[in-house]
Each structure stands twice: as structure tokens, then as C-alpha cells.
Amino acid sequence: MDLALLRLLRTRGHTPALDRAAGLLARAGENGALWLVLSLRNRRAFTTVLVALLANTAIKQVVRRPRPDLGPDLPPLSPTISSLSYPSAHAATSFAGAGALGGGPFYALAAAMAFTRPYLGVHYPSDVIAGAALGWAVERIA
């Protein structure tokens, strides 16, 4: 089911403009950069994003799930820093940051950031769900 949903998200609704927008948003989310910038004046939020990134990195090193490979006819639309996929650091830092910054519209931005990952073909949907859950949990205990 994970692979089928990934294929659906990677092949439906794509336009050059949406692909560019998703790529820009994804680049802004590398290593939680967007969320760290948004949190510069909020020590708790900044720390929460960093903890989520560190926890995510540790889990990735233990799980070691490779990124999806949909074949040469369906390459990823974005470069990645790591070949490891589970969980999604974009989703983890986004949901940690959104919660720490007060939720509301920040959760909409976090959801958009998380959605870019399977849309661009670089994460399975379950990677994104796990990352979002991790970020939410880190924010709750931070």
C-alpha cells in the first residue's frame, strides 16, 4: 500500500509550476532550516526543532531504510542529503516547529512541507507519517 500511494503521489497532479514550488519548499526544509529561521526569537521552538532533527537522525541510523526507487522512468524530482528514508526529517522538524510555534497556520505549512516528500518521490508516505508523529511527540515533551 505504501508503494502504491507513493506511485500515485509521484505521478498525479504534477505540473512544472507545482514541481518547482515543491522543490523550493523542500530545499527550505533541509535540516529544519525554515523552522530554525522561523524559531530564531523563540528559544523553546528553536530547541524543539533541533531535538526533533537529532532524534530523527538517530532513528534513521538505526532503521536504515533506503529511499524509494521507482525505476528509471520515475526518478525523484529532488536531490537528498542522505540515502536513508525513515523517518522523514522534513516532516519531523516541520511538525515539531509548527507545534512549538503555536500550531494553526504553522501546521498547514508543516503539512505542505511533509507532502512535498512523497510528491517529489523521495519518501514513502509511511516515512512522512512517522516523521510527523516523531515531531509531534518531541514538541509535546520538549
Side-chain angles (χ1 to χ4, degrees):
M1 189 166 130
D2 212 17
L3 184 57
L5 185 53
L6 172 61
R7 282 189 183 281
L8 180 73
L9 292 170
R10 177 58 186 83
T11 59
R12 301 290 191 271
H14 283 258
T15 67
L18 284 175
D19 290 357
R20 277 191 305 279
L24 287 172
L25 187 57
R27 278 190 293 286
E30 288 295 344
N31 290 313
L34 174 64
W35 297 99
L36 291 169
V37 169
L38 292 173
S39 300
L40 282 175
R41 295 180 184 260
N42 182 326
R43 181 180 291 176
R44 179 185 175 275
F46 191 87
T47 302
T48 299
V49 173
L50 282 178
V51 169
L53 181 60
L54 291 172
N56 188 86
T57 301
I59 293 168
K60 268 190 176 162
Q61 293 304 314
V62 171
V63 175
R64 305 200 63 77
R65 182 182 196 182
R67 292 206 184 261
D69 181 1
L70 297 175
D73 59 322
L74 207 52
L77 298 178
S78 176
T80 58
I81 292 175
S82 161
S83 63
L84 302 176
S85 188
Y86 182 94
S88 166
H90 280 72
T93 57
S94 294
F95 279 86
L101 289 168
F106 291 111
Y107 277 127
L109 179 57
M113 178 75 73
F115 179 78
T116 68
R117 310 316 285 155
Y119 176 89
L120 294 169
V122 296
H123 275 290
Y124 294 99
S126 61
D127 299 337
V128 172
I129 292 166
L134 173 63
W136 181 87
V138 166
E139 189 276 323
R140 294 289 179 241
I141 62 173

